[in-house]
Amino acid sequence: MLGITVHNVRERQELKHASGPLEFGRGPRRGDVPRVTIQDAYVSKDHVRIEEQETGELRIDNLSTKQPIVLSNGTIPPGEWLMLRPPMRLGIGDTYIDIELAIPEMVDGDSLKTVVQPLHVRAKGEARETVLNLAAGPTPEQLTQWFEAVVAVQRSSPALPEYYDQTARAMVDLVSLDSGLILLRQGDAWKVVARAFRDEGSPGREFSHTILARVVRDRRTFYSPKLSGLSSSDSLVNISSVVASPIFDAQDNVAGALYGSRCRRPGTREIGTVEAQLVQVLASAVTAGLIRLEQDHRANQLRIARDVAEAADRTKSQFLANMSHELRTPLNAIIGYSEMLIEDAQDRGVPEIVPDLEKIRGAGRHLLALINDILDLSKIEAGKMTLHLETFDLPKVVREVVAMVQPMVKKGVELMVQDTSQLTAMHSDATRLRQCLFNLLSNACKFTDDGSITLTAERKLHEGRDWVVFKIADTGIGMNAEQLAKLFQDFQQVHSSTRQAGGTGLGLSISRKLTRMMGGDITVRSEAGKGTTFTMYLPARLDKPTTVQDTGTVLPIA
């Protein structure tokens, strides 16, 4: 067993190492070999590797390619190794590594006592004892001082340099310990981040690894009222009693510990339950501070991510606005000129070029429709899609949509439309309603090769509100349950034939989002090989568009 101390002007780490290799360096751990990370700019990322041999000697490897390892009587050059017998001191950069054979700590584990655990790890049914009913002796003034110290720790931030010093000082001044240490775990090592002493402190090691190992294992506060005077371990020399309490991080792992002790002197009172409970309260306050620090860090990361996302969204919106202008303008010109050329070719008696011109016009219209779909989706996602509410003649809108869809109906398919004259007026966005109906009907036309497509529309009263219900039923190829599950997802084309049929996979997704903005929803029933029925529910009068675009629920309208 080796006792190792790593120290420089910035830090001090202590650990015990049982067997196998151990590495030291400025960089992170590599592979399975344990690593002690050193905060020293002059230490190489991989600098020292030690391993105890059966002879009791240590093999010291210099892993650095530039820096030597300084010994008391020489150096180990980069890339070389040497066999040495402890104790020894290794110098790397501005850091010293002291290695010695560890003296066993004569701490009887059964003699360690514990107190009630903090609330966040209390077992079911465990008594809720507090400092108040544990301490009959302290005066009200003492209790006030204790809790003021705890409140001061809770109000402070672990990011401040005096945070841990304040806690260590409270262990000495208010809990009446002779020494108070705040330790944080760094792999297998313990780093002392703050220390306070009643006098000058005691020589040797400042804490017992055996006691800290028990704290980590059992995740509880332990104290020893009276240590045996027979221990030869320098961490327990002249120490009469000790107490250690775990510090937890946000993941409920033991991140460190509060460690306090009283020296062996005439009249020294043993550390008891009251002191142990107070140290545990301070440890719980430090735990709360660490969790709060991590939460603040995460919140700050989320704020940064939000700002970046908003900046990206603004950039996207500007790009889409530019693309809208730059692409729509020439496309409209292409479509317009192709229509003029078609008329001119017919007037001049050259009908043989009309089919080619019609292909140009069709391709232009198709591309324009795709661009419009992408722009609509982007506006909806950015919350910038606006509805233009007006009162319009609903039967007229239905007739216009049917007229637009009629050329898309395949031969052998009958498009049947129920009489809509009784529907009268509707107050909503006529353009978006027309878009949704067109998307649903054109989708039915794509996947119906024979049979029929039926459009019905009727008014229904539900919970005192007037609704318009559209149903588009076809006898096409239908869908199975897996296809239905992803039907309304963006850019999803559930049929392999969709690619040949054209489209971006956005029509149904946009239609549902628009319908929900208009206060309604779209539902679907389908069976593979038998056809599909889409039902679109909309309020007959919409006074204000909803701001929740994609969280609608299916309306229970029969």
Side-chain angles (χ1 to χ4, degrees):
M1 177 75 72
L2 298 175
I4 301 170
T5 303
V6 179
H7 54 99
N8 54 40
V9 295
R10 286 166 291 277
E11 64 177 347
R12 178 186 178 91
Q13 301 183 57
E14 295 185 19
L15 71 150
K16 287 190 175 180
H17 184 64
S19 62
L22 177 66
E23 294 181 351
F24 302 80
R26 182 167 46 85
R29 175 174 176 169
R30 302 175 189 274
D32 298 329
V33 179
R35 163 71 61 102
V36 177
T37 303
I38 301 174
Q39 297 180 25
D40 185 345
Y42 297 101
V43 171
S44 300
K45 290 184 178 180
D46 302 302
H47 207 136
V48 180
R49 179 187 177 112
I50 66 171
E51 186 168 6
E52 189 174 8
Q53 308 297 305
E54 293 181 358
T55 60
E57 293 182 306
L58 289 183
R59 171 170 171 155
I60 313 294
D61 287 88
N62 190 344
L63 305 178
S64 175
T65 58
K66 298 179 180 178
Q67 301 291 334
I69 298 174
V70 179
L71 307 173
S72 59
N73 57 352
T75 63
I76 303 177
E80 298 189 14
W81 61 274
L82 197 63
M83 299 290 290
L84 297 172
R85 187 173 294 277
M88 68 186 71
R89 168 170 284 190
L90 310 178
I92 53 175
D94 290 337
T95 300
Y96 290 107
I97 303 174
D98 293 327
I99 305 174
E100 60 186 1
L101 294 176
I103 302 173
E105 295 176 335
M106 304 300 293
V107 178
D108 183 5
D110 295 333
S111 69
L112 292 175
K113 298 184 179 182
T114 187
V115 294
V116 177
Q117 292 176 269
L119 291 178
H120 76 290
V121 292
R122 178 178 286 118
K124 274 190 175 180
E126 194 168 14
R128 290 175 175 257
E129 293 181 283
T130 66
V131 175
L132 292 175
N133 58 37
L134 281 172
T139 65
E141 290 77 13
Q142 287 176 313
L143 290 175
T144 300
Q145 289 181 335
W146 287 342
F147 285 111
E148 283 179 349
V150 173
V151 170
V153 172
Q154 288 181 324
R155 286 181 174 177
S156 186
S157 169
L160 299 176
E162 66 272 14
Y163 177 77
Y164 295 115
D165 292 332
Q166 179 183 14
T167 307
R169 179 49 57 187
M171 294 173 66
V172 172
D173 293 342
L174 298 177
V175 189
S176 298
L177 301 178
D178 291 327
S179 69
L181 304 177
I182 314 297
L183 303 104
L184 296 181
R185 296 181 70 193
Q186 290 193 343
D188 296 326
W190 290 91
K191 177 181 179 182
V192 180
V193 294
R195 53 174 58 84
F197 300 103
R198 182 167 301 281
D199 299 317
E200 295 181 359
S202 58
R205 297 189 183 277
E206 298 177 289
F207 54 88
S208 165
H209 285 273
T210 303
I211 295 175
L212 288 179
R214 183 73 179 272
V215 168
V216 172
R217 188 191 72 185
D218 293 350
R219 299 163 56 85
R220 298 179 68 99
T221 298
F222 286 97
Y223 69 100
S224 179
K226 191 174 183 180
L227 291 170
S228 170
L230 301 177
S231 175
S232 57
S233 169
D234 57 358
S235 64
L236 300 175
V237 170
N238 295 325
I239 300 298
S240 66
S241 52
V242 298
V243 59
S245 184
I247 301 171
F248 297 92
D249 59 19
Q251 289 73 43
D252 204 31
N253 299 316
V254 178
L258 269 63
Y259 185 98
S261 64
R262 280 186 178 150
C263 295
R264 193 182 305 278
R265 62 167 67 94
T268 299
R269 190 164 68 91
E270 297 175 354
I271 291 177
T273 307
V274 174
E275 290 89 341
Q277 189 76 49
L278 284 168
V279 170
Q280 180 171 271
V281 171
L282 286 171
S284 297
V286 175
T287 293
L290 290 178
I291 294 174
R292 188 172 64 251
L293 181 66
E294 186 166 339
Q295 290 173 341
D296 291 343
H297 177 65
R298 283 203 299 263
N300 187 52
Q301 287 182 318
L302 290 174
R303 282 193 293 270
I304 294 173
R306 180 200 62 193
D307 293 341
V308 171
E310 288 177 350
D313 183 63
R314 288 192 295 270
T315 302
K316 183 186 75 170
S317 298
Q318 185 61 46
F319 168 75
L320 291 174
N322 293 337
M323 187 179 76
S324 171
H325 174 74
E326 297 297 333
L327 292 179
R328 279 175 166 167
T329 300
L331 277 174
N332 284 325
I334 292 171
I335 294 169
Y337 276 116
S338 64
E339 291 174 345
M340 291 172 57
L341 290 172
I342 289 172
E343 293 177 1
D344 189 54
Q346 291 171 340
D347 292 341
R348 295 190 178 189
V350 282
E352 62 273 11
I353 67 172
V354 170
D356 292 330
L357 294 173
E358 288 178 340
K359 290 179 181 178
I360 295 173
R361 180 181 62 183
R365 287 176 174 172
H366 178 68
L367 183 56
L368 184 60
L370 299 183
I371 292 172
N372 288 336
D373 281 348
I374 295 173
L375 292 173
D376 283 346
L377 178 63
S378 300
K379 287 181 180 178
I380 292 172
E381 289 180 341
K384 296 182 179 180
M385 174 67 74
T386 56
L387 298 181
H388 302 283
L389 304 180
E390 59 180 337
T391 301
F392 54 89
D393 183 3
L394 182 55
K396 180 182 178 183
V397 171
V398 173
R399 290 194 299 270
E400 291 172 350
V401 173
V402 171
M404 288 190 294
V405 172
Q406 191 68 56
M408 303 173 64
V409 179
K410 298 176 182 177
K411 290 183 179 180
V413 178
E414 181 181 5
L415 176 59
M416 298 183 292
V417 182
Q418 181 193 41
D419 181 21
T420 59
S421 58
Q422 81 284 1
L423 294 177
T424 65
M426 182 176 179
H427 187 79
S428 190
D429 189 319
T431 301
R432 297 306 175 187
L433 172 60
R434 189 181 293 110
Q435 180 180 354
C436 293
L437 280 175
F438 178 81
N439 284 340
L440 293 174
L441 283 169
S442 62
N443 187 75
C445 292
K446 285 180 184 179
F447 302 107
T448 306
D449 295 326
D450 55 59
S452 63
I453 300 171
T454 304
L455 168 63
T456 61
E458 58 181 335
R459 285 181 179 267
K460 288 196 174 184
L461 192 65
H462 178 69
E463 295 182 352
R465 193 176 186 187
D466 197 13
W467 294 83
V468 180
V469 182
F470 300 90
K471 288 189 178 181
I472 297 92
D474 65 61
T475 59
I477 59 179
M479 290 172 285
N480 57 35
E482 182 181 354
Q483 292 169 327
L484 283 172
K486 57 183 180 179
L487 180 64
F488 291 105
Q489 297 177 12
D490 298 339
F491 301 103
Q492 286 292 334
Q493 297 176 325
V494 299
H495 289 295
S496 59
S497 58
T498 307
R499 193 61 69 181
Q500 286 74 29
T504 59
L506 287 174
L508 293 178
S509 172
I510 291 174
S511 296
R512 190 178 220 186
K513 288 179 170 67
L514 289 173
T515 303
R516 289 178 172 178
M517 286 185 68
M518 292 187 287
D521 202 357
I522 296 177
T523 62
V524 59
R525 290 185 295 105
S526 185
E527 186 176 349
K530 293 188 177 181
T532 302
T533 299
F534 286 94
T535 304
M536 180 169 65
Y537 310 90
L538 287 172
R541 180 172 184 83
L542 179 66
D543 295 317
K544 183 181 179 181
T546 178
T547 56
V548 183
Q549 301 156 4
D550 203 21
T551 57
T553 56
V554 176
L555 302 172
I557 302 176

